[in-house]
Amino acid sequence: MNFIKVEEQIEPFVALVELNRPKELNALNHELMEELRAALAMLDANASVRVIILTGNDKAFAAGADIKQMADKTAIEMVMEDRFRTWDQIRLTKKPIIAAVSGFALGGGCELAMTCDMIMASETAKFGQPEVRIGTIPGAGGTQRMTKAIGKAKSMELILSGRFLSAQEALSYGLVNHVFPLETYMMETIKLAKEIAAYSPVAVQLAKEAVNRSFETHLEEGLAFERKSFYLTFASEDQKEGMKAFVEKRTPSYKGK
Ligand code: CAA
């Protein structure tokens, strides 16, 4: 891996993926995105990983798609490269992904954070979709995910002006889950990851899928999907263990079965 670093077990059942193109502020070139896709697929298939943390460095989570790599492309080259197929595969990762964001999360970087399931931010984080400033628009889901996350008025303002949101603004708009000082945001992210990783991975994956369904479908279908997933947990040993442990007043031990 040239552009990312992967640690499969920073804590039991918690993996860390770090974007690692610091000089270019983690600009997302093709190669990095392909490495990221492959790493997430590998971690998704690894039973000893239950939660994935995706991060950058203090200065940048990612400053967007690699502008230098795109600048001279024709529309047809962009179509034929089908660069967003990689992004679709990231979206389909079954295990929860928590973005730990410090510094710039702009353009594709903001879209990548929003593709994750939760965003934990440091006080220095800056979010934005500044594509309009370089004559284009968001292409990796920004117009859709931003609008669903913070509503039309704010999203329209951000995307049409290209201006950046501070971490505190992003928190008040509901774009991020929490904001912590730079010194502690990663520790807090790991704490949340460990909490989720202690639960049944069967239940966690089904819950993630059901929440995501609420964005993709209407209420009737979403409720039916949730109900079936709920019933399905009763086919797992983890559900038996979880409920039995509650009745017996002890801590459950989940196996992912
Ligand atoms: N692509 C390629 N290189 C980038 C980059 C990007 N998105 N963002 C930063 N870099 C490079 C810079 O070119 C610079 O490289 P050199 O030293 O070789 O010149 C290096 O990273 C450091 O950047 P700056 O010197 O610009 O750092 P700064 O602190 O002065 O400014 C910044 C930081 C405000 C983030 C500024 O770099 C910037 O505006 N970056 C571009 C942000 C952007 O427009 N992102 C959207 C991209 S398009 C997109 O993402 C489409 C999509 O929907 C998928």
Side-chain angles (χ1 to χ4, degrees), residues 23-25 27 59 63-68 70 84 104 106-108 111 130-131 134 137-140 164:
K23 273 202 238 129
E24 293 81 8
L25 304 182
K59 182 152 190 219
D66 190 322
I67 300 170
K68 293 168 192 164
M70 287 185 298
F84 295 122
F104 297 112
L106 303 176
E111 290 167 305
E131 287 88 345
I134 53 167
I137 70 167
F164 302 164

Side-chain angles (χ1 to χ4, degrees), residues 144-145 148-149 210-218:
Q144 306 304 297
R145 289 203 179 90
K148 286 196 160 82
V211 172
N212 279 337
R213 214 31 98 91
S214 75
F215 290 108
E216 291 152 11
T217 189
H218 55 79

Side-chain angles (χ1 to χ4, degrees), residues 187-238:
M187 195 184 77
E188 295 290 348
T189 306
I190 294 171
K191 210 167 36 169
L192 175 63
K194 280 171 71 178
E195 189 181 336
I196 297 168
Y199 300 134
S200 162
V202 180
V204 168
Q205 284 183 37
L206 286 171
K208 167 173 168 165
E209 204 181 344
V211 172
N212 279 337
R213 214 31 98 91
S214 75
F215 290 108
E216 291 152 11
T217 189
H218 55 79
L219 183 62
E220 198 64 36
E221 201 184 314
L223 289 174
F225 181 83
E226 180 196 76
R227 199 161 304 161
K228 287 204 175 113
S229 301
F230 171 71
Y231 294 150
L232 186 58
T233 63
F234 285 73
S236 71
E237 288 176 22
D238 282 351

Side-chain angles (χ1 to χ4, degrees), residues 4-5 15-19 28 32-33 36 40 51-56 61 90 96-102 109 112-113 115-116 118-120 185-186 189:
I4 66 172
K5 289 189 203 161
L16 180 72
V17 179
E18 200 182 314
L19 307 177
L28 304 167
L32 184 156
M33 289 309 297
L36 181 59
L40 292 176
V51 179
I52 301 162
I53 297 172
L54 177 61
T55 196
F61 177 73
I90 294 170
I97 309 178
I98 308 175
V101 176
S102 176
L112 183 59
T115 305
C116 296
M118 286 158 272
I119 304 177
M120 303 287 266
Y185 85 104
M186 184 52 78
T189 306

